[in-house]
């Protein structure tokens, strides 16, 4: 685990619930983890069959730990991007990238959740879902709806989608 201030890996129990919500497998799906942190969520997506996982992290020690895990696991479908998540989201959108699942878990007190959510719509493939982890219940902005939500200790987690997506069609 990298020694990064504010790093809070998603608890095992929360990850298990998330992947139960998603149906256990992500075969053929494209996933984006813009605040990779420990890498737990993105690597879990890769282990569950995602064809592509783009992980973004700006902290050098976290990047080194994630890079080592990718190599150790032989996770060739994982692309690790060094840099600022919000800037990377804008670059990915300009490049026309689309994702079936976004794992949105920014540092709780950094004020990044709302700006990240605002940058996601052009990155979402039809039927895409967004997992959001936060320190409080999520008040979704206009254009979004919560499909599932739960809490474990101080972690509130949600599976959301755009309003124009049919209900219940997880990636």
């Amino acid at each position: 685990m990298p020694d990064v201030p504010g790093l809070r890996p998603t608890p095992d129990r929360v990850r298990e619930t998330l992947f139960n919500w998603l149906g256990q497998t992500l075969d053929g799906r494209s996933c984006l983890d813009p605040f990779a942190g420990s890498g737990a969520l993105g690597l879990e997506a890769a282990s569950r069959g995602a064809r592509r996982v783009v992980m973004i992290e700006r902290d050098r020690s976290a990047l080194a730990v994630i890079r080592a895990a990718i190599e150790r696991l032989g996770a060739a479908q994982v692309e690790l991007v060094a840099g600022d998540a919000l800037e990377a989201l804008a670059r990915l959108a300009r490049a026309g990238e689309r994702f079936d699942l976004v794992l949105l878990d920014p540092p709780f007190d950094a004020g990044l959740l709302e700006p990240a959510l605002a940058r996601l719509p052009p990155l979402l493939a039809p039927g895409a879902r967004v997992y959001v982890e936060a320190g409080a219940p999520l008040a979704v902005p206009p254009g979004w709806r919560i499909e599932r939500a739960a809490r474990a200790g101080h972690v509130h987690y949600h599976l959301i989608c755009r309003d124009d997506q049919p209900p219940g069609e997880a990636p």
Side-chain angles (χ1 to χ4, degrees), residues 22-79:
L22 295 171
Q24 296 299 320
T25 181
L26 296 175
D27 287 350
R29 300 307 196 298
S30 181
C31 302
L32 174 63
D33 186 356
F35 300 93
S38 70
L41 286 174
L43 292 171
E44 182 86 15
S47 77
R48 291 181 182 261
R51 78 175 157 73
R52 179 179 183 222
V53 178
V54 176
M55 299 172 74
I56 304 164
E57 179 54 50
R58 69 177 178 189
D59 184 87
R60 287 183 181 172
S61 60
L63 283 163
V65 169
I66 296 168
R67 192 171 290 113
I70 291 167
E71 291 173 13
R72 185 174 61 253
L73 298 170
Q77 76 273 45
V78 177
E79 300 169 36

Side-chain angles (χ1 to χ4, degrees), residues 7-29:
L7 181 66
R8 171 200 33 73
T10 300
D12 292 343
R13 167 174 118 195
V14 172
R15 276 199 326 269
E16 182 179 338
T17 300
L18 167 63
F19 288 100
N20 284 337
W21 289 350
L22 295 171
Q24 296 299 320
T25 181
L26 296 175
D27 287 350
R29 300 307 196 298

